[in-house]
Amino acid sequence: MDEGKRYARLGLFVMVSLCVMATVLFLVGGRKLFQPTFTFETYFNGSVSGLELGAPVRFRGVPLGQVSEILTSAATYERDVPLDRRREYIVVRAKVNFSADEAEQLKRDMAQLVKKGLRAQTQLAGLTGQQYLAIDFVDAAKYPPLAFQWEPKYTYVPSAPSLSGEIIANAQAFLSSLNEADVKTLARNLNALVVNLDKKVSETPVAEFVRDADATVVRIDRILAAAPIDHALRKIDSAAARLDELLADPGLKQTVDNAAAVSGRLRGLADRGDLDRMIKHINAMAERLDALIGDNQYDVRVIVQDLRVTADNLRVLSENVKRNPAGVLLGGPPEKVELPGSSR
C-alpha cells in the first residue's frame, strides 16, 4: 500500500512539473504559435537580391511582420505550364501579426486598397544595405498589377519596383533613347564648355601670379645671400678637420685595438666553455655559502647577541670612566658627601 502511494505521488509530481514547464514555455514564447497572423503574397518581375527570410515588413516605417517565404512562380504555380509560357516571377510571402477581426477586415478591404494603389516594394534599410519589404500607396495607374493565370494561395498584393531599381531603369531608358545626333550635339556642347573654360583661365591674372612668384624667388635669393652661410661652412670645415685629427690619433687606434682584443678574449672564453664553467663555479659557491649560513644560523644569532651585550657593557664602562676615572682605575666610588643640616 505504501509503495503504491509513493508511485502515485511520484506520478503527480511529474505531471505537475510538466504542467509548470509547459506554462513557462507558453509565457516565454509559445503565445506566438497561437497568435493570429495574416499572410499575403506579392510577385516581382525582377531581382530581389538582398531580401532574405525573416526580413521585416513595414507600412510607412511601422513594423508589421516578417518575410516568411521567397519562392519562384515556376516551382510554385507553373509546374504544368510549358517553359515558353512561364512568367518566372519571384513569389514573396509575408506574415503580418493581426488579430482575427483585423485579418478578416483586411481580406475584405484588400481589393479596394489595391485599387487605391497599395503596393509592396523592396527598400534599403539606411546605410546597412539590408533589404526589407515596404507596403505603401503609390500611383495605381503607373504601377498596375502583374499578369498571371493562377489562383494565389494567399491574399495577393501587387508589387512596384524599388526606388533604386526605378532610377537604374530610367537611366537605361535615357541612354537607349539617345541617337547619334544627340551624341554629336552633346559632344559639341562639351567642346564649347572646354573652350569657355580655357578663355576664363586665360583671362585670369596668371601673369600677375607669375610675377609674384618671381619676386618671391628673388627675396629668397637675397635672404640666402645675406645669411652667414660662409661662416657656417667654415665652422663645418673646422669641425671636420678636428674629427679627422681625432680619428688619426694613435691613442684612439690603440683603444679600439684593446677593445677588439678584449672582445676576442671574451669570445675565446665563451667558445672554450671557460665562461660557462666560471658561472657554474660561482653558482656552486653561492649554494655552499647559503648552506653554510643556513647550518650555522643559530650560532651566528648567539654571536650577534653576545656582541650586543658586550657593546652595552663597553658603553656602561665608558660612562663610568667619564664620571669617575680615578675610582675606575684605583678603587670604588667616592664616599657620599652629606651636606650640613641633612638628616641621616
Side-chain angles (χ1 to χ4, degrees):
M1 185 67 181
D2 294 336
E3 186 176 359
K5 289 182 179 180
R6 286 199 298 270
Y7 284 134
R9 292 175 181 175
L10 179 60
L12 180 62
F13 174 75
V14 172
M15 293 298 295
V16 171
S17 300
L18 291 176
C19 292
V20 172
M21 186 180 298
T23 303
V24 172
L25 292 177
F26 176 76
L27 293 176
V28 171
R31 288 182 294 180
K32 293 182 179 179
L33 298 176
F34 304 98
Q35 188 175 0
T37 58
F38 171 73
T39 303
F40 70 91
E41 64 182 39
T42 184
Y43 310 139
F44 292 93
N45 191 19
S47 175
V48 292
S49 178
L51 187 66
E52 299 178 355
L53 295 178
V57 178
R58 300 176 182 175
F59 174 73
R60 294 183 175 178
V62 179
L64 298 178
Q66 60 278 340
V67 176
S68 58
E69 292 180 276
I70 300 177
L71 309 169
T72 60
S73 61
T76 307
Y77 295 113
E78 297 177 314
R79 294 179 180 177
D80 300 331
V81 179
L83 185 61
D84 56 347
R85 296 176 55 189
R86 292 180 182 177
R87 300 289 183 178
E88 298 293 346
Y89 294 155
I90 302 299
V91 180
V92 178
R93 292 172 179 171
K95 290 184 178 180
V96 180
N97 298 324
F98 281 149
S99 63
D101 296 336
E102 290 175 340
E104 290 297 329
Q105 182 179 0
L106 189 59
K107 288 180 181 179
R108 291 193 303 267
D109 299 340
M110 185 56 69
Q112 297 296 328
L113 295 175
V114 169
K115 289 182 180 180
K116 291 182 178 181
L118 186 65
R119 298 292 185 269
Q121 295 176 303
T122 58
Q123 299 291 347
L124 292 175
L127 299 176
T128 60
Q130 181 185 6
Q131 295 272 6
Y132 69 93
L133 195 63
I135 308 298
D136 204 344
F137 289 94
V138 297
D139 188 359
K142 186 178 180 180
Y143 303 108
L146 297 176
F148 57 88
Q149 289 80 26
W150 59 82
E151 183 67 24
K153 182 178 180 180
Y154 300 100
T155 303
Y156 171 65
V157 177
S159 64
S162 62
L163 182 60
S164 59
E166 187 175 0
I167 293 173
I168 295 174
N170 292 334
Q172 291 177 350
F174 172 74
L175 293 176
S176 61
S177 64
L178 292 177
N179 51 27
E180 186 176 358
D182 295 333
V183 174
K184 290 182 179 179
T185 303
L186 181 61
R188 286 195 299 270
N189 293 333
L190 289 175
N191 291 330
L193 179 61
V194 171
V195 171
N196 292 330
L197 289 176
D198 291 337
K199 291 181 179 179
K200 293 294 183 181
V201 172
S202 61
E203 292 175 358
T204 56
V206 178
E208 184 179 357
F209 174 76
V210 173
R211 287 194 299 272
D212 293 339
D214 292 338
T216 303
V217 172
V218 171
R219 291 176 184 175
I220 293 174
D221 291 337
R222 291 177 181 175
I223 293 172
L224 293 176
I229 297 177
D230 295 335
H231 183 63
L233 291 176
R234 285 194 297 271
K235 287 186 177 180
I236 293 173
D237 291 338
S238 177
R242 292 178 183 176
L243 183 60
D244 291 337
E245 292 178 358
L246 180 62
L247 293 176
D249 189 1
L252 179 61
K253 184 177 182 302
Q254 185 178 1
T255 302
V256 173
D257 294 337
N258 293 334
V262 172
S263 63
R265 292 175 184 175
L266 291 176
R267 188 180 300 107
L269 290 174
D271 294 338
R272 291 194 303 270
D274 295 339
L275 188 61
D276 294 336
R277 286 193 295 270
M278 187 182 300
I279 293 173
K280 290 180 181 178
H281 291 163
I282 293 173
N283 291 331
M285 186 181 298
E287 292 177 358
R288 292 175 185 175
L289 184 60
D290 291 338
L292 181 61
I293 293 174
D295 294 339
N296 299 318
Q297 185 176 3
Y298 177 76
D299 296 337
V300 172
R301 188 183 301 111
V302 172
I303 292 171
V304 171
Q305 291 177 356
D306 293 340
L307 290 175
R308 186 179 295 111
V309 172
T310 303
D312 294 337
N313 293 333
L314 290 175
R315 188 181 301 108
V316 173
L317 179 60
S318 64
E319 291 177 356
N320 291 332
V321 169
K322 290 179 181 179
R323 289 196 302 268
N324 187 16
V328 173
L329 297 176
L330 300 177
E335 295 181 358
K336 184 176 181 182
V337 179
E338 294 183 359
L339 299 175
S342 61
S343 62
R344 294 186 177 180

